[in-house]
Amino acid sequence: MRKKIVAGNWKMNMNLEEGLNFAKSVDRYFREKPASKAEVILCTPFIHLAGVSEILKNSKVTLGAQNCASEPSGAFTGEVSASMIQSTGAQYVIIGHSERRSYYHEDDRLLNKKTLLAINAGLKAIFCCGEVKAEREEGRHLIIVKRQLEEGLFTLPAESMKMIVIAYEPVWAIGTGLTATPEQAQEMHYYIRGLVREKYGKECAEGMTILYGGSCKPSNAAELFSKPDVDGGLIGGASLKKEDFAAIAEAI
Ligand code: 13P
């Protein structure tokens, strides 16, 4: 059975103290629960990584970052490399979130470099893809996601694919309250798994965890996760409220 994941993407929220307190309360919550069916990941801003890593020692909850540099090291003021992230104890990094693609103009070629660096540093990459509203309205959503995966991800050798989680995040559903219907999510996840199968074979495709992200909340999580190709969620706003995040993880 493939791995189920519920990952919280805090985005640019919470100062250091707030973030550490929040991580403590999430850790406490999952400690007291019987083992969840899903791996629970907190993807925090860079400033929280080292502190949250201490809090999550021996925890059921794991840690990730939200971005990494496109170069391994050196004179790149303000950047944080994949190996620096790995040195904090984080195991994951989100690559290619639509907010990075649109606000910071990160294109497929650059994201491909970041993905390779992440894997070389020993991190698992949560590789994001998804279409904007106009692309869906024009019926181009499948072709857009195909391009993002082919150019950003499918240059990887087969043995690296075990370090990849794919997250489908339709841009029109992020932070908007509009959620993809379970059928829309399933259609895309099934399509993505088919692309992985074509490129890397059946075993890789069947083992690939594919997450849904975009206004996922306690009221819609169970229905989304009930679809056969939806293996969990990448959660933005609702990951900032412990009760909501916990309820989404329970929905697995
Ligand atoms: P929301 O859950 O706030 O829509 O954000 C989704 C997201 O971008 C997660 O990476």
Side-chain angles (χ1 to χ4, degrees), residues 7-11 94 97-99 128 167 169 173-178 212-217 233-239:
N9 175 6
W10 291 4
K11 306 194 179 182
I94 298 172
H97 191 279
S98 67
E99 287 148 19
C128 300
E169 299 207 304
I174 296 178
T176 58
L178 289 175
Y212 169 80
S215 299
C216 187
K217 42 191 182 247
L234 182 53
I235 319 299
S239 78

Side-chain angles (χ1 to χ4, degrees), residues 84-98:
M84 289 171 175
I85 293 168
Q86 193 274 341
S87 74
T88 67
Q91 296 174 37
Y92 287 88
V93 59
I94 298 172
I95 305 273
H97 191 279
S98 67

Side-chain angles (χ1 to χ4, degrees), residues 17 25 48 65 95 104 108 151 159 167 170 187 192 200 210 221 234 237:
E17 190 185 356
S25 74
H48 298 96
I95 305 273
Y104 304 99
D108 295 324
E151 295 184 13
E159 68 269 18
E187 180 203 33
I192 291 171
Y200 293 104
I210 307 178
L234 182 53

